Amino acid sequence: MESAFSWLEQDRVSMPPVMHIEATEHKGDIDVKSAYVRGLPYFAIKIASGFPDNPRRGLPAGSAMMVLLNSASGFCEAILLDNSYLTDLRTGLAGAVAAKYLAPETIRTVGVLGTGTQGRYQVKCLRLLRRFQQVFVWGRSTENLQAYAEALREDLKIDVVTADCAETVVRECELLITATASDRPLVKSEWLHAGQHITAVGADFPHKQELEPEVLRRADRLVCDRLSQCMLLGELQHLVRNGQLPGDLEVIELGQLTTGAKPGRLGEDEITVCDLTGTGVQDTAIANLAFSAAMRQGMGLAV
């Protein structure tokens, strides 16, 4: 994932805007993401759907697969029917990359808003880089909140505390992860404290929002995965739409950090925010990795 963001900064990537299809009759949506990377043998076209009523049908709310095309010929090499696993993993790892450059070196408590799949993957991937001892978590469903806490305690062998409100989570943590489908702000700037880092992954669609705009304006260092995309789909969209994006507000792309073009966290007291919407180059990167690993192990069905 770190290399994928560097490829963007190094101008090795042809990445079209996200194709979005609304299935309004069933309250669902489908996103298509892709990116061609110069020098890689294959590129992916990822199709991901989100249908919130699916659990009532006994199905997951989200699903995704990747079609892998040969970079030289354009012919289909494989279809990765991973049931969103690769998407979930690459998103969690992007949060870990952001934390590598922006989070405090010492973290005691991680805060999580959201008890879904990404709320788990973000914490598990962060664990690869930081040895925190406690997680504070909040979610709208008491049942899901308890299930999340029990699963994370078992997986990571750490203390997990369930909170009764988002404010408690924000005030208690050094690193905050927001991973909800909220369409209104959950985090207020007045709750933030010096030295805090926020990774926001929930806003990846027009009108989604987890952070009030003042949170972004208060940040000492504001980072995103792809500026043009975040201004349409991420937390940044709300500053742009309301004409509240200050002309002197520097927004750094994650690839500028991974290549060393821009510095990450500069001081212990800085407040840092990373706005992640998920990019096609991440899908191409992880699809190449997964396909090569599968071929080495003789996996798959040849048609």
Side-chain angles (χ1 to χ4, degrees):
M1 284 306 103
E2 193 167 8
S3 295
F5 292 116
S6 294
W7 297 335
L8 281 173
E9 176 64 15
Q10 294 161 349
D11 201 25
R12 286 180 54 186
V13 181
S14 173
M15 188 170 71
V18 178
M19 177 182 175
H20 184 78
I21 306 165
E22 291 191 53
T24 53
E25 180 184 4
H26 301 288
K27 303 176 185 176
D29 59 82
I30 302 95
D31 281 339
V32 181
K33 296 182 179 181
S34 183
Y36 178 95
V37 180
R38 190 171 68 254
L40 292 190
Y42 313 107
F43 66 97
I45 299 176
K46 198 270 293 292
I47 306 164
S49 64
F51 283 67
D53 290 340
N54 271 0
R56 299 177 188 174
R57 306 182 179 98
L59 297 170
S63 180
M65 66 176 182
M66 298 184 184
V67 179
L68 205 61
L69 305 182
N70 188 291
S71 293
S73 68
F75 272 70
C76 180
E77 293 283 349
I79 301 174
L80 306 180
L81 298 170
D82 63 286
N83 293 320
S84 294
Y85 170 69
L86 294 177
T87 297
D88 294 334
L89 181 58
R90 64 82 151 147
T91 306
L93 290 170
V97 172
K100 176 179 178 179
Y101 292 91
L102 296 169
E105 284 297 325
T106 301
I107 298 173
R108 181 183 65 86
T109 301
V110 172
V112 182
L113 302 184
T115 58
T117 300
Q118 203 46 229
R120 297 192 299 274
Y121 272 87
Q122 287 291 330
V123 175
K124 290 180 179 180
C125 291
L126 176 63
R127 189 73 166 179
L128 300 173
L129 296 173
R130 295 291 193 275
R131 304 305 298 177
F132 49 90
Q133 301 302 317
Q134 189 177 55
V135 173
F136 265 73
V137 59
W138 172 84
R140 290 189 176 92
S141 165
T142 302
E143 181 181 353
N144 291 345
L145 187 62
Q146 294 301 326
Y148 175 99
E150 291 173 9
L152 208 60
R153 290 186 192 113
E154 178 64 24
D155 287 346
L156 298 183
K157 311 302 181 187
I158 59 174
D159 181 31
V160 182
V161 180
T162 58
D164 57 4
C165 66
E167 181 178 357
T168 299
V169 173
V170 178
R171 291 189 182 277
E172 288 290 336
C173 68
E174 290 86 37
L175 187 151
L176 176 67
I177 295 163
T178 62
T180 74
S182 179
D183 60 0
R184 64 199 65 186
L186 298 173
V187 179
K188 295 184 177 181
S189 65
E190 64 197 61
W191 301 344
L192 306 184
H193 54 79
Q196 194 167 36
H197 170 69
I198 301 173
T199 297
V201 299
D204 59 355
F205 181 70
H207 308 301
K208 280 188 175 182
Q209 185 177 17
E210 298 180 300
L211 313 178
E212 69 174 12
E214 188 58 34
V215 171
L216 304 185
R217 291 197 293 267
R218 186 177 171 186
D220 297 294
R221 200 157 299 276
L222 180 57
V223 178
C224 67
D225 49 12
R226 190 62 162 174
L227 180 57
S228 57
Q229 188 169 298
C230 288
M231 290 175 72
L232 295 173
L233 306 176
E235 295 293 340
L236 279 167
Q237 67 176 293
H238 304 286
L239 288 179
V240 175
R241 183 178 297 118
N242 299 324
Q244 297 175 332
L245 185 63
D248 60 349
L249 179 64
E250 182 183 28
V251 184
I252 300 168
E253 289 194 342
L254 200 48
Q256 294 176 285
L257 302 186
T258 60
T259 59
K262 294 280 186 177
R265 174 174 287 271
L266 292 175
E268 293 182 0
D269 291 337
E270 279 194 325
I271 294 175
T272 55
V273 176
C274 189
D275 183 12
L276 297 177
T277 53
T279 61
V281 70
Q282 294 170 249
D283 297 314
T284 286
I286 202 166
N288 270 271
L289 184 68
F291 182 59
S292 63
M295 291 299 95
R296 286 197 302 271
Q297 297 180 43
M299 299 174 67
L301 172 66
V303 178

